[in-house]
Structures are given as structure tokens and as C-alpha cells.
Amino acid sequence: MKNLFLASLLMLSVTSFAQYGYRDGNRIGISAGVSQTTLFTNNFNAKPELGFAGGLSVRGNYYNNWSMIYGMQFFSNNFSLESTFDQKIKYNIQGVQVRLLLSYNVVEDHVSLDFGPVLQINGKMKIASSDETKLLKGTLLKADQILDVSQLSGNFYLGCSAGTKTVRAVIFYEYGFTNFLNKLNKDDALILLNNNDKFKGNLGSINGQVVINL
């Protein structure tokens, strides 16, 4: 995970410096904003929660009205699961995303539609210490027994941006097409506590951000 993170950072830095020397339609962007994330799963009762994300991106001309965007985002997303006594347990997941997007310029330098794949590198989930021993509703699992999720996830990105050359508002949705909970299936004891059902969950996140182009 550390090596992949460092390689991504180096690639973004090299690309940024290369693009900075050629300013015709190529821009380095700094972004930040809020997210609302949930977990789509039949194993638990999940609800969306607010989080935040921010990072760097490089937008470059590709062909005619098409551009490409390479970027890296750091995120801290949240969702909640319901406990046995209908209490809400908030789960926090932090990590980094590397994305490579195609962008169609609806109105050049002002409005674009963006889409493409995202590689997500996840850390171990976190919860409040007071929630660790609570049972997840419908199972015999303690809340802290599902923290060690899959380290790598794949997402699909679909969004749009609007504004000026310097400042843009971005709204996008990401859906995780890989099983976020798959690592838990390696432990038979956890599956037994989960009503002998395998774990399956996909992350979904809607984001609103502001991008400042240098």
C-alpha cells in the first residue's frame, strides 16, 4: 500500500510539472469538498453519513472536445450501521484514490462531463471505543469485528463540473464495483457469526467539491 501510494504521488508530481510548462488548455487543480457515503449491503442496516475529501489533479487536452484528468484524492468517509438496540454506529474509512478520467467539454473551459475508473486504497476502518462491543443488528458480530476491510477497491466515477478556467464546482458520484467487505470472508468464524452468510458490500458516495486551477 505504501509503495503504491508513493508511486502515485511521484507520477502526479511529474505529470504536474510537465503540464505546467504547457498551459494551452492544461491545468493543475487543487480540490476539496464534502461527501455523503453509504454501504450497499444485505448483511447490515446501513445509513449514509457526511465526510470530506481533497487532493490534486491534472487536466490536459486529449482530442477535439475531449480532455483527460489524472488525479489523487485523500478521503475520510463515513457511514453508519445499526446495532441490536437500534443505535447508530458510525464507521470511518480513510485512504487515497487514484483516478484516470475522460472528460467531454460541453462548453469549453466552463462545463464538462467526466467519467472513468478509480483505484481506491483503504485503511482499516475506525469506530468510537464506546461502540466496539455493540452487536450489529441481525447478527452476532461485534462492531469492531468487521473493521479490517479489503485494502483495494475499484470504483466508477461519473460527474460534471461547471465554472471558469480558475474556479469550478464539481459534483460526482462514485460506485464501488468491487466487494468492500471481501476480506472478511477469509475468516470462517466471522461468517458463522454473520448467520453463516458471506459478506458483500459496495460503497457508494456522492461528492461536492470546489476545484481551484493554477
Side-chain angles (χ1 to χ4, degrees), residues 31-36 53-54 73 97 99 101 114-115 118 156-161 169-175 204-211:
S31 61
V34 296
S35 63
Q36 187 179 58
Q73 290 262 322
Q97 293 181 335
R99 56 179 63 151
L101 309 175
D114 314 319
F115 59 92
V118 178
F156 183 78
Y157 177 114
L158 178 63
C160 64
S161 66
V170 182
I171 297 177
F172 61 92
Y173 182 77
E174 289 185 356
Y175 179 76
S205 179
I206 187 168
N207 295 257
Q209 297 187 357
V210 174
V211 179

Side-chain angles (χ1 to χ4, degrees), residues 101-120:
L101 309 175
L102 277 175
S103 177
Y104 180 73
N105 299 304
V106 180
V107 180
E108 188 175 0
D109 294 325
H110 296 289
V111 180
S112 68
L113 298 176
D114 314 319
F115 59 92
V118 178
L119 174 65
Q120 180 167 308

Side-chain angles (χ1 to χ4, degrees), residues 8-43:
S8 300
L9 184 61
L10 177 62
M11 187 181 298
L12 181 61
S13 300
V14 171
T15 306
S16 297
F17 281 116
Q19 295 288 356
Y20 192 76
Y22 179 58
R23 300 299 297 273
D24 183 17
N26 300 287
R27 291 178 291 278
I28 304 166
I30 301 173
S31 61
V34 296
S35 63
Q36 187 179 58
T37 303
T38 193
L39 181 68
F40 295 102
T41 178
N42 291 324
N43 299 127

Side-chain angles (χ1 to χ4, degrees), residues 61-74:
N61 290 331
Y62 180 60
Y63 179 75
N64 288 342
N65 291 325
W66 292 90
S67 300
M68 292 194 72
I69 303 171
Y70 175 76
M72 180 165 22
Q73 290 262 322
F74 301 92

Side-chain angles (χ1 to χ4, degrees), residues 53-168:
L56 298 172
S57 63
V58 177
R59 175 187 287 270
N61 290 331
Y62 180 60
Y63 179 75
N64 288 342
N65 291 325
W66 292 90
S67 300
M68 292 194 72
I69 303 171
Y70 175 76
M72 180 165 22
Q73 290 262 322
F74 301 92
F75 67 88
S76 178
N77 291 336
N78 299 292
F79 61 86
S80 62
L81 300 180
E82 196 172 353
S83 74
T84 300
F85 298 103
D86 296 330
Q87 294 175 305
K88 186 170 66 174
I89 302 172
K90 183 183 288 188
Y91 285 79
N92 174 259
I93 177 71
Q94 299 180 10
V96 63
Q97 293 181 335
V98 180
R99 56 179 63 151
L100 183 63
L101 309 175
L102 277 175
S103 177
Y104 180 73
N105 299 304
V106 180
V107 180
E108 188 175 0
D109 294 325
H110 296 289
V111 180
S112 68
L113 298 176
D114 314 319
F115 59 92
V118 178
L119 174 65
Q120 180 167 308
I121 307 168
N122 304 306
K124 190 174 181 179
M125 289 199 297
K126 300 176 182 178
I127 57 174
S129 57
S130 58
D131 290 331
E132 291 178 351
T133 59
K134 292 178 180 178
L135 292 179
L136 294 170
K137 190 170 185 177
T139 76
L140 295 176
L141 288 161
K142 294 180 181 178
D144 65 351
Q145 289 183 295
I146 64 166
L147 299 179
D148 197 10
V149 293
S150 299
Q151 193 174 58
L152 295 179
S153 300
N155 302 339
F156 183 78
Y157 177 114
L158 178 63
C160 64
S161 66
T164 67
K165 283 187 177 182
T166 306
V167 181
R168 283 197 184 194

